[in-house]
Amino acid sequence: MSELPKTYEPQAIEEKWYAQWLNDGCFEGRAERVSAKRPAYSIVIPPPNVTGVLTLGHVLNNTIQDILARRARMLGKEVLWLPGTDHAGIATQTVVERTLKKQGVIRHRDDLGREAFLERVWEWKEKHGGIIIQQLKKLGASCDWNRERFTMDSEYSACVQRVFIDLFQKGSIYRGKRMVNWCPVSHTALSDEEVVMKSQQGSLTHFRVEIAERPGTFLTIATTRPETIPGDSAVAVHPEDPRYSAFIGLHVIRPLPAEMPREQRLIPIVGDTHVEFGFGTGVLKVTPAHDRADFEIGQRHGLPALDVMNPDGTMNSLAGAELAGKDRFEARALAIQKLQELGLFEKDEPHQSNVGFSERADVPIEPRLSQQWFLRYPSVPSSREVVRSGQMRFFPERWAKVYDHWMEGIQDWCISRQLWWGHRIPVWYFRGKDPENARQSLGFETEEGALRVLEDGTVAYCGDRAPGDNQLWEQDSDVLDTWFSSWLWPFATMGWPQSTETLKAFYPTTDLVTGPDIIFFWVARMIMAGFEYMGELPFRNVYFTGIIRDKQGRKMSKSLGNSPDPLDLISKFGADALRFGVMRSAPLGQDVLFDEKNVELGRNFCTKLWNACRFRQMQGGAVEAEIRSEFLSSEDKWILLRLDRTIQEVSAALEEYRFSDAAQTLYRFFWNEYCDWYVEASKAVLTSGEEARRENTLAVIDFVLAHTLRLFHPFMPFITEELWHGLGFHQELPSDQGGRSIQFAHWPKPLGEDFLAHYGLLPEDEVRANAKFDVVLAGRGLRRDFNLASNKKVAFVLQAQGALSEEECEVIRLLLNAESLELVSSGWAAPRGTPTALTPFGPLFLPLEGLVDMAAERERLGKEIAKIQQELIKVRAKLSNDTFVQGAPAAVVQEHRQRETDWLAKLTELQRIREALG
RNA sequence: GGGCAGUUAGCUCAGCGGUAGAGCGGCUCGUUUACACCGAGUUGGUCGGGGGUUCGAUUCCCUCACUGCCCACCA
């Protein structure tokens, strides 16, 4: 390869390699290659919204998956990372509908009708659906794109239908009129998980109602929702409340709608233990159609449910002439006004309460009684047990508790949505009452359980084909909750219900990477679907990422404008920089405070890596020559030992999904240990003119670089690939082991005992190299203390004759940027006032020929001596404490003794030096 | 109301029973055989408060305070 440019220019390189990887089929997961020797590794992408765009959350999530996938390839596994997108019912339908309205095409989707509207959504999907996929490619995601799936592909839809039919026939799915969370904006029911509670400042309206049987006697009710008074069908008090229990069985006159005849407004006073004595006035108005708890009270007392609202959140005619047609919040004010006019209003008290909001539309949901489909979750016990027992592992572990708690109190799932974009519910209703007639008019034999009489007497057929006589049968107009398709993702994407090669090879998947915000929406449900349809867990490990926040800790949001576009960051800094920057700051189990500085750091690191390789390239010589032990210096041995430790630490961190630790360790090793110490030290040999030693050093450099590039590859795929080829490390390797792409090069193993023995790498080598580095640090310290610019050539004297070889001295001299380093015997007497520092080999002098301020030097030494005395006092205090000596482990005591000896030696030495100064 | 995290240098975080650490920032010096997207040096902390266990606690236990999440039908 031609000489590398001075700085790393990511754009062209990223494009080049991504195209090459795709062209070479590097990302393909092939079932037929899986064997005992070549185990499978699989992961399914959490499918992003098909019309979505890439966010930093996606960057974090998908970088982690890519790291896992690439490392698995390097470990010799057959990897399948299966990508795709989600149709995201409400979100997509809302976006398309809003756009069409903005374009003036429609005022409401009804203007187009179901068929035509859906056509528009598909058009939209074709046009915008690929965006996020393209963005993921820019990030470097190594997904098997040939297998891209969409939750509304025809085969996928068939899976969804099949599962619905199966659960229907098993009786797990039922239809009923229940209290659901209704979104007045989207006009659909929502599941409990799609509702977020928000604390709201509201008010508690106090008003009076007269007891019909006791004219002139009033009860005061406190409510947050006066607009629903027309829907009240009772007043409830606690049966043991001495203030009110005597009134149970009597009636009150409901104030609204005022124009309704009095006798039609009589509602009973019931006793119910749900009522709290202490809250409000202790008298509760019961509105069964508009409140969950009230609905239950209504059930217990056989009260009618009066629905006084329209689906869009406006009041209907039952609310009375004046409220009818008004929005619920407008109606609230109006109701209060009416109460005032009737002389029944008492007061408004400020009140803080939790209100459920539609997650998507961000408006308060309306508890609403409506006909919906529900699912009694299947395979709950095994799904719960698999996590409890640790057979499936959660990272961080604490989410297992959250999961367990939810599974414990699991509620039936409302799965029908009053939308058009989604999987249509495969149920047809018979326009008649008699099941036998229905059976005959179907026109075909049904399976057991497919034909059923529903709660309200409707005869329903559920199956994969429409009944023959469509005059008599009408299909349910609702679609299924998006998550009712997502929960099948791990196996529906692999060809289920056929027993495909893919399923056999790659199911269950290995890891799932997702955000904790969808633990109930998605993770829990996938586990249940997995057990129900595949008979086992769908994935072995679940990694929950943190949530990306801005550097002030706020959530990313469009309105705050604090959500940077990852694509901008990629074009500014490069994909590898973004990946590395994010991973380095994303510790397991913690939210990530995003700061562009981190990406900058990633970019800087890429440049560093680039230049370190450039430096190697500039040295020329054969690539990856054999290392010869007889030429190894202690620095060589030191860096090899450091590399060995780094391999171990990085591997261990990745095994435990501690990505930021792995990134941190690599960063430190490469920048500090390799570049700052080793490369700088190696320059002594590289310029020495001794060919054999020089070549050997290059061999060590190559060895370290070839390992480091591989360790970095999962984090930074593009630059490592470029450098891998640029330095020629691919040359000798078979094409499936790094010859073609670094992503198939073997993941570095610890060097191993044989290697260490062969090259004579011992802990002492590390100690010796560190001792030399200590001399350098001491010398640099002296420089600083006497304000000598680092470019000023000075002569050092080390009182350690014979302790260091000439080559070793040369290394130290170079690192100190010194004119010379002279070794002298212990008899050598430093000129008075010579600055001195202690090193493991002996005192280091910096003779300055009278340039030095003696007083300053004495002061400096004085400070150092004082520091050592402090330490000595601490250690001695411990050692003179009998309880410590007797109570602490012998090793600890011994360690303290050693410390005392060391400090004492240093102290004596420094004192001697100070005396020498006079 | 219940549960789960967190509180360590100006900022972001590591350490989790035996001399307080890293990165970033700040400051000083610097065109030394890659790299100023750099190098060298340096400044920053009674480890949230209070108890307890221990020879010894940032580290273990209790308690309080604050912050953030999750769960919960108090109208």
Side-chain angles (χ1 to χ4, degrees):
Chain A
M1 159 172 152
S2 54
E3 195 186 313
L4 296 164
K6 198 167 168 179
T7 48
Y8 172 59
E9 299 293 345
Q11 270 76 13
I13 288 168
E14 288 172 8
E15 258 169 57
K16 175 183 81 178
W17 282 115
Y18 205 84
Q20 179 107 24
W21 291 331
L22 288 182
N23 194 44
D24 289 354
C26 291
F27 305 157
E28 286 171 22
R30 303 256 279 277
E32 70 274 14
R33 285 197 294 232
V34 173
S35 67
K37 265 188 74 181
R38 192 176 175 81
Y41 176 90
S42 57
I43 187 163
V44 290
I45 204 168
N49 180 346
V50 67
T51 60
V53 289
L54 200 72
T55 63
L56 282 172
H58 292 118
V59 170
L60 173 63
N61 189 277
N62 289 286
T63 299
I64 291 172
Q65 292 176 71
D66 199 40
I67 289 169
L68 291 168
R70 286 178 185 272
R71 176 156 182 268
R73 277 187 204 105
M74 296 177 82
L75 288 168
K77 295 181 182 170
E78 183 62 23
V79 173
L80 172 60
W81 181 11
L82 210 157
T85 49
D86 192 291
H87 69 280
I90 300 179
T92 305
Q93 174 164 324
T94 311
V95 169
V96 176
E97 198 172 347
R98 194 186 300 141
T99 311
L100 292 175
K101 278 182 194 161
K102 213 181 276 174
Q103 292 169 344
V105 180
I106 53 164
R107 286 217 309 276
H108 187 267
R109 62 182 196 257
D110 286 337
D111 296 350
L112 278 175
R114 188 168 190 139
E115 298 284 307
F117 180 78
L118 284 177
E119 257 172 53
R120 297 300 188 106
V121 184
W122 278 107
E123 272 172 33
W124 178 275
K125 185 252 169 189
E126 293 313 322
K127 200 166 155 202
H128 302 276
I131 293 177
I132 197 159
I133 297 298
Q134 290 314 312
Q135 293 178 318
L136 283 171
K137 290 178 180 175
K138 285 235 183 283
L139 229 206
S142 60
C143 302
D144 186 348
W145 298 109
N146 300 327
R147 296 178 184 260
E148 189 184 329
R149 295 286 186 272
F150 177 52
T151 52
M152 282 195 15
D153 286 342
S154 57
E155 310 85 65
Y156 200 104
S157 297
C159 294
V160 174
Q161 202 180 57
R162 185 189 174 95
V163 165
F164 185 96
I165 293 167
D166 176 70
L167 291 167
F168 182 94
Q169 291 180 357
K170 284 175 183 161
S172 301
I173 284 179
Y174 61 93
R175 192 180 78 151
K177 198 163 192 183
R178 300 291 136 91
M179 190 56 83
V180 296
N181 308 299
W182 183 264
C183 174
V185 169
S186 313
H187 295 194
T188 180
L190 300 173
S191 66
D192 293 346
E193 288 67 39
E194 286 164 289
V195 176
V196 287
M197 294 309 246
K198 290 190 182 181
S199 181
Q200 294 287 300
Q201 188 56 251
S203 58
L204 204 52
T205 301
H206 294 243
F207 69 100
R208 277 178 298 166
V209 289
E210 191 173 17
I211 298 178
E213 290 86 351
R214 310 262 174 87
T217 307
F218 291 87
L219 291 177
T220 300
I221 299 173
T223 180
T224 53
R225 303 209 60 188
E227 74 277 17
T228 63
I229 291 173
D232 291 352
S233 49
V235 161
V237 296
H238 194 102
E240 282 150 36
D241 190 331
R243 295 171 295 178
Y244 308 118
S245 54
F247 301 134
I248 293 170
L250 303 182
H251 296 76
V252 301
I253 304 156
R254 192 181 64 210
L256 299 173
E259 71 269 23
M260 189 183 273
R262 188 175 179 272
E263 59 275 17
Q264 287 177 30
R265 289 190 274 128
L266 288 186
I267 53 173
I269 299 171
V270 300
D272 196 288
T273 50
H274 168 77
V275 181
E276 300 266 336
F277 284 58
F279 189 88
T281 58
V283 185
L284 173 69
K285 74 191 219 17
V286 183
T287 325
H290 296 284
D291 185 280
R292 272 224 149 108
D294 289 8
F295 177 73
E296 281 164 29
I297 297 176
Q299 297 267 295
R300 289 197 281 272
H301 299 276
L303 301 169
L306 305 169
D307 188 344
V308 296
M309 255 185 242
N310 295 312
D312 64 355
T314 60
M315 310 306 291
N316 66 22
S317 59
L318 283 179
E322 283 176 83
L323 295 187
K326 299 283 193 302
D327 179 77
R328 51 192 167 147
F329 300 108
E330 207 183 324
R332 184 170 302 171
L334 214 54
I336 292 172
Q337 200 186 313
K338 291 299 295 177
L339 290 171
Q340 282 168 336
E341 284 166 16
L342 293 166
L344 298 170
F345 175 83
E346 278 190 354
K347 61 175 174 177
D348 260 354
E349 262 178 13
H351 178 66
Q352 186 94 7
S353 65
N354 285 331
V355 178
F357 274 64
S358 157
E359 194 192 36
R360 190 61 59 181
D362 200 35
V363 291
I365 57 106
E366 203 52 56
R368 184 159 189 261
L369 204 50
S370 68
Q371 197 74 256
Q372 302 288 347
W373 287 98
F374 295 88
L375 169 67
R376 266 187 289 273
Y377 284 103
S379 296
V380 173
S382 39
S383 299
R384 198 173 168 203
E385 185 54 28
V386 76
V387 175
R388 270 194 155 182
S389 66
Q391 200 193 332
M392 180 191 287
R393 298 183 62 193
F394 280 11
F395 296 85
E397 217 181 339
R398 69 186 138 90
W399 293 111
K401 260 189 233 166
V402 176
Y403 170 85
D404 193 67
H405 184 246
W406 187 77
M407 292 296 279
E408 190 181 0
I410 197 162
Q411 301 284 318
D412 290 354
W413 177 11
C414 174
I415 53 174
S416 47
R417 295 290 177 276
Q418 288 65 53
L419 303 172
W420 288 346
W421 177 242
H423 301 97
R424 186 102 177 243
I425 291 179
V427 171
W428 286 262
Y429 303 113
F430 184 58
R431 294 185 211 275
K433 288 281 170 205
D434 182 16
E436 255 329 293
N437 288 347
R439 188 177 301 281
Q440 282 163 20
S441 78
L442 264 180
F444 48 82
E445 284 298 305
T446 64
E447 297 186 31
E448 171 132 11
L451 196 67
R452 203 201 301 163
V453 180
L454 305 177
E455 274 182 21
D456 64 349
T458 306
V459 181
Y461 163 75
C462 174
D464 57 5
R465 57 172 163 161
D469 188 343
N470 58 14
Q471 295 297 308
L472 285 171
W473 293 90
E474 188 186 7
Q475 187 173 7
D476 190 304
S477 58
D478 289 352
V479 300
L480 290 163
D481 181 5
T482 299
W483 298 103
F484 194 88
S485 57
S486 319
W487 76 325
L488 312 176
W489 189 249
F491 53 88
T493 50
M494 292 194 190
W496 184 85
Q498 270 74 49
S499 172
T500 63
E501 292 303 309
T502 305
L503 275 174
K504 279 184 214 155
F506 294 110
Y507 194 91
T509 62
T510 319
D511 295 321
L512 178 77
V513 179
T514 190
D517 48 333
I518 53 174
I519 184 168
F520 310 135
F521 275 117
W522 197 45
V523 180
R525 289 168 180 166
M526 277 194 290
I527 297 172
M528 292 184 274
F531 273 101
E532 187 68 7
Y533 291 101
M534 300 299 294
E536 61 178 326
L537 40 69
F539 26 76
R540 302 185 194 288
N541 307 294
V542 185
Y543 178 95
F544 290 102
T545 65
I547 292 167
I548 302 246
R549 300 169 176 281
D550 71 6
K551 59 180 164 186
Q552 288 150 61
R554 302 173 304 183
K555 264 191 184 161
M556 294 289 182
S557 81
K558 277 186 196 136
S559 54
L560 280 173
N562 60 350
S563 172
D565 181 351
L567 275 269
D568 289 348
L569 294 167
I570 288 176
S571 61
K572 192 167 167 196
F573 299 107
D576 290 329
L578 176 62
R579 293 167 59 118
F580 192 74
V582 166
M583 290 318 297
R584 205 176 141 281
S585 55
L588 173 61
Q590 265 181 276
D591 287 353
V592 184
L593 298 196
F594 180 81
D595 186 343
E596 195 173 296
K597 275 247 172 328
N598 290 323
V599 186
E600 210 177 309
L601 178 131
R603 189 266 321 261
N604 294 353
F605 185 76
C606 285
T607 307
K608 188 74 182 177
L609 186 60
W610 185 259
N611 275 300
C613 290
R614 211 170 128 243
F615 174 76
R616 165 61 188 95
Q617 196 186 43
M618 289 163 73
Q619 303 304 318
V623 177
E624 289 198 278
E626 183 83 7
I627 297 172
R628 291 168 60 186
S629 55
E630 66 268 34
F631 292 121
L632 288 177
S633 67
S634 63
E635 291 82 48
D636 291 332
K637 294 180 178 179
W638 176 82
I639 197 66
L640 290 170
L641 287 165
R642 298 305 311 170
L643 174 68
D644 184 42
R645 187 160 313 165
T646 302
I647 294 169
Q648 292 178 42
E649 281 177 17
V650 170
S651 299
L654 290 178
E655 291 296 326
E656 294 157 35
Y657 303 86
R658 297 186 343 254
F659 301 101
S660 66
D661 287 350
Q664 193 81 257
T665 302
L666 273 171
Y667 180 91
R668 199 171 309 161
F669 167 75
F670 192 74
W671 201 310
N672 299 337
E673 296 176 346
Y674 177 73
C675 291
D676 290 347
W677 285 110
Y678 181 72
V679 172
E680 291 309 317
S682 75
K683 285 175 182 171
V685 183
L686 294 176
T687 57
S688 69
E690 291 176 48
E691 253 336 285
R693 283 179 61 222
R694 189 184 136 83
E695 270 169 32
N696 203 244
T697 297
L698 291 180
V700 174
I701 287 177
D702 287 344
F703 186 86
V704 174
L705 286 179
H707 277 76
T708 315
L709 286 177
R710 282 181 282 156
L711 291 170
F712 271 118
H713 178 257
F715 291 89
M716 304 192 295
F718 296 108
I719 191 173
T720 48
E721 185 78 283
E722 177 73 8
L723 292 169
W724 180 255
H725 290 262
L727 291 176
F729 293 149
H730 64 299
Q731 281 165 10
E732 303 293 314
L733 295 167
S735 91
D736 61 345
Q737 286 169 31
R740 186 173 37 146
S741 166
I742 188 174
Q743 73 192 298
F744 298 109
H746 293 315
W747 179 258
K749 290 193 189 84
L751 302 183
E753 278 179 34
D754 289 350
F755 185 98
L756 300 185
H758 181 260
Y759 290 105
L761 305 185
L762 301 166
E764 295 94 281
D765 296 310
E766 228 172 335
V767 172
R768 185 163 187 90
N770 280 325
K772 279 187 274 182
F773 297 154
D774 282 343
V775 176
V776 174
L777 290 173
R780 286 172 180 166
L782 288 175
R783 263 208 141 98
R784 185 249 324 156
D785 288 339
F786 296 96
N787 252 332
L788 297 168
S790 45
N791 62 336
K792 186 161 188 172
K793 296 277 181 186
V794 290
F796 284 95
V797 174
L798 183 62
Q799 202 173 55
Q801 199 170 43
L804 289 155
S805 71
E806 210 170 299
E807 288 81 18
E808 288 178 312
C809 285
E810 180 55 18
V811 167
I812 294 170
R813 190 198 61 75
L814 186 75
L815 291 173
L816 275 173
N817 193 31
E819 180 71 43
S820 63
L821 175 69
E822 194 191 344
L823 291 187
V824 295
S825 71
S826 55
W828 188 79
R832 277 171 62 89
T834 302
T836 313
L838 281 180
T839 79
F841 296 102
L844 178 72
F845 299 94
L846 178 54
L848 287 172
E849 294 156 36
L851 285 178
V852 166
D853 180 346
M854 294 258 292
E857 173 62 359
R858 268 200 297 274
E859 193 190 320
R860 194 181 69 79
L861 281 170
K863 269 191 208 161
E864 214 166 317
I865 287 167
K867 212 170 112 193
I868 291 174
Q869 280 169 334
Q870 281 296 317
E871 296 298 343
L872 204 54
I873 286 168
K874 275 200 230 169
V875 178
R876 285 190 165 153
K878 282 210 158 177
L879 287 172
S880 63
N881 184 344
D882 286 348
T883 46
F884 170 72
V885 176
Q886 283 150 26
V892 174
V893 177
Q894 186 48 42
E895 194 190 307
H896 278 75
R897 291 229 163 84
Q898 185 58 47
R899 223 179 274 161
E900 184 192 21
T901 318
D902 293 349
W903 286 126
L904 201 57
K906 277 189 187 168
L907 185 65
T908 324
E909 186 68 19
L910 282 178
Q911 278 166 341
R912 189 178 66 77
I913 290 166
R914 187 167 60 171
E915 273 160 33
L917 292 178

